[in-house]
Amino acid sequence: MATGIRQILLLGANGQVGFELCRSLAPLGQVHVADRSGGDGRLAVDLARPGSAAEVIAAIKPDWIVNAAAYTAVDKAEQEHELADRVNHLAVAEIAAAADEVGAKLVHYSTDYVFNGRARSPYVESHPTEPLGVYGQTKLAGEHALAERCAEHLILRTAWVYASRGHNFLRSMLRLAAERPRLTIVADQLGAPTPARQIADATALLLQTQDASFEAHKHWGTYHLTAAGLTSWYGFACAIIESAHQAGWLSAMPPITAIATADYPTPASRPAFSALDSGRLRRHFGIALPGWESGLAQVMGQLTDPQRILPNP
Ligand SMILES: NC(=O)c1ccc[n+]([C@@H]2O[C@H](COP(=O)([O-])OP(=O)(O)OC[C@H]3O[C@@H](n4cnc5c(N)ncnc54)[C@H](OP(=O)(O)O)[C@@H]3O)[C@@H](O)[C@H]2O)c1
């Protein structure tokens, strides 16, 4: 499509990050929005179906593809290895090959779950990977397949993503705080809760910066992108509930007990230490996300339906 207007294909528009990308990318050009089923003027791209993404990419010939779709059910992936691999790996390989074919640049997201969580200091991009479960394995395989097939790519590894909508820890905590007299939350996994909106805004900035840079100054490859700071799920839960109480959404704060991962077994193992060093992104692009606490304040301010999540304030 040689219209002179930047053509962007967004895959996975219904997800936490995908939803925010619809807004962040809109000012940058014509955004062709795709989700799994299509409808309402959207394109249908089902990554579980071989050829689905490639057909759309060949038809649109976008300047940029932003892939926010992924199989993200970490525990279920242990049982659904084939589907997780199809969506997170084989479909990503297909997208990358199709992008290369039409000369599109590609933005893709990956995860802290590519690491084993046994590091003592924040992970840099070059740190050896060792996923602990199927989800991380398939995301890592997707990273490799993409890098092999499409040179002009950005893989943004992020972590602990949440938003004012969608399925996430923040919304689960608010619901549970209204339903249960007390909560028990894992305190020995550390990470940086990162708002989907900040990931989307950073993506839009990256896209603009790359397009505005001379060829020799374009930086492609893998980058870590998370909020600054570090907390545990327990610390995050306390901050969420305190903030909801202050907003008047909770009449009382349920007591929260810190527990160990060993006391809350899940089908998939999770990395205990998920801190990602985002310094490379700051050095190459001048992009750095604020601390997770200010991200939480921002997302709490975006909640439009606290009374639906918290039925008995
Ligand atoms: N969530 C996290 O904590 C986290 C942490 C680190 C990295 N990431 C990465 O960040 C990216 C965005 O994650 P997110 O939190 O926005 O995930 P999300 O809210 O779970 O959204 C994922 C989206 O992918 C779509 N999808 C799943 N299977 C598909 C298929 N077969 N065909 C087409 N679309 C499909 C889903 O569609 P439906 O809406 O139809 O189900 C959903 O809209 C992903 O690459 C993820 O791996 C996430």
Side-chain angles (χ1 to χ4, degrees):
M1 275 196 183
T3 57
I5 299 167
R6 191 193 273 125
Q7 304 291 319
I8 304 168
L9 173 61
L10 169 62
L11 305 175
N14 272 343
Q16 299 189 86
V17 175
F19 177 84
E20 298 293 347
L21 281 164
C22 291
R23 185 190 51 83
S24 304
L25 297 176
L28 305 191
Q30 184 173 0
V31 184
H32 303 264
V33 178
D35 59 31
R36 193 200 302 245
S37 46
D40 282 341
R42 290 182 167 191
L43 300 156
V45 173
D46 180 358
L47 299 189
R49 186 170 72 76
S52 178
E55 281 163 25
V56 169
I57 293 166
I60 293 180
K61 299 187 176 46
D63 302 302
W64 283 88
I65 300 165
V66 181
N67 178 31
Y71 180 107
T72 55
V74 174
D75 287 320
K76 221 168 146 194
E78 298 295 313
Q79 299 297 321
E80 293 190 335
H81 192 148
E82 205 174 316
L83 179 59
D85 192 64
R86 170 69 224 148
V87 174
N88 291 344
H89 167 207
L90 301 179
V92 174
E94 185 183 302
I95 291 166
D100 193 57
E101 182 77 26
V102 301
K105 292 152 274 190
L106 179 54
V107 181
H108 177 71
Y109 302 93
S110 191
T111 169
D112 52 317
Y113 282 34
V114 299
F115 297 117
N116 66 16
R118 291 200 281 272
R120 295 290 170 88
S121 56
Y123 284 99
V124 293
E125 289 79 356
S126 55
H127 195 283
T129 50
E130 188 192 0
L132 299 177
V134 168
Y135 167 71
Q137 286 161 13
T138 60
K139 291 293 293 183
L140 182 61
E143 285 188 11
H144 291 157
L146 185 155
E148 277 165 21
R149 288 164 178 79
C150 179
E152 294 188 325
H153 72 264
L154 294 169
I155 295 171
L156 305 176
R157 287 191 190 136
T158 186
W160 293 30
V161 179
Y162 72 106
S164 58
R165 62 178 286 289
H167 299 287
N168 57 61
F169 186 81
L170 172 117
R171 291 181 67 93
S172 298
M173 280 308 108
L174 292 176
R175 187 172 39 78
L176 292 175
E179 284 172 7
R180 297 196 181 167
R182 64 189 67 251
L183 302 176
T184 50
I185 308 291
V186 167
D188 57 359
Q189 286 173 31
L190 300 179
T194 304
R197 180 166 289 194
Q198 293 184 358
I199 296 170
D201 287 346
T203 303
L205 200 54
L206 279 167
L207 210 141
Q208 284 174 292
T209 309
Q210 289 291 71
D211 275 352
S213 301
F214 291 116
E215 213 50 49
H217 294 148
K218 292 189 201 295
H219 300 288
W220 302 107
T222 300
Y223 290 87
H224 289 172
L225 169 68
T226 61
L230 204 59
T231 187
S232 64
W233 291 116
Y234 169 78
F236 190 30
C238 291
I240 291 167
I241 285 167
E242 219 172 284
S243 163
H245 183 58
Q246 273 170 17
W249 300 340
L250 281 174
S251 49
M253 291 199 288
I256 310 180
T257 306
I259 58 166
T261 301
D263 297 327
Y264 186 75
T266 51
S269 300
R270 285 148 167 84
F273 182 78
S274 269
L276 302 184
D277 182 331
S278 300
R280 185 165 191 248
L281 196 73
R282 191 182 58 246
R283 289 191 298 278
H284 284 183
F285 297 100
I287 295 174
L289 300 190
W292 70 266
E293 296 96 331
S294 70
L296 174 60
Q298 197 183 84
V299 176
M300 291 295 280
Q302 287 156 6
L303 273 176
T304 52
D305 59 347
Q307 58 284 40
R308 271 187 49 215
I309 321 173
L310 296 153
N312 304 308

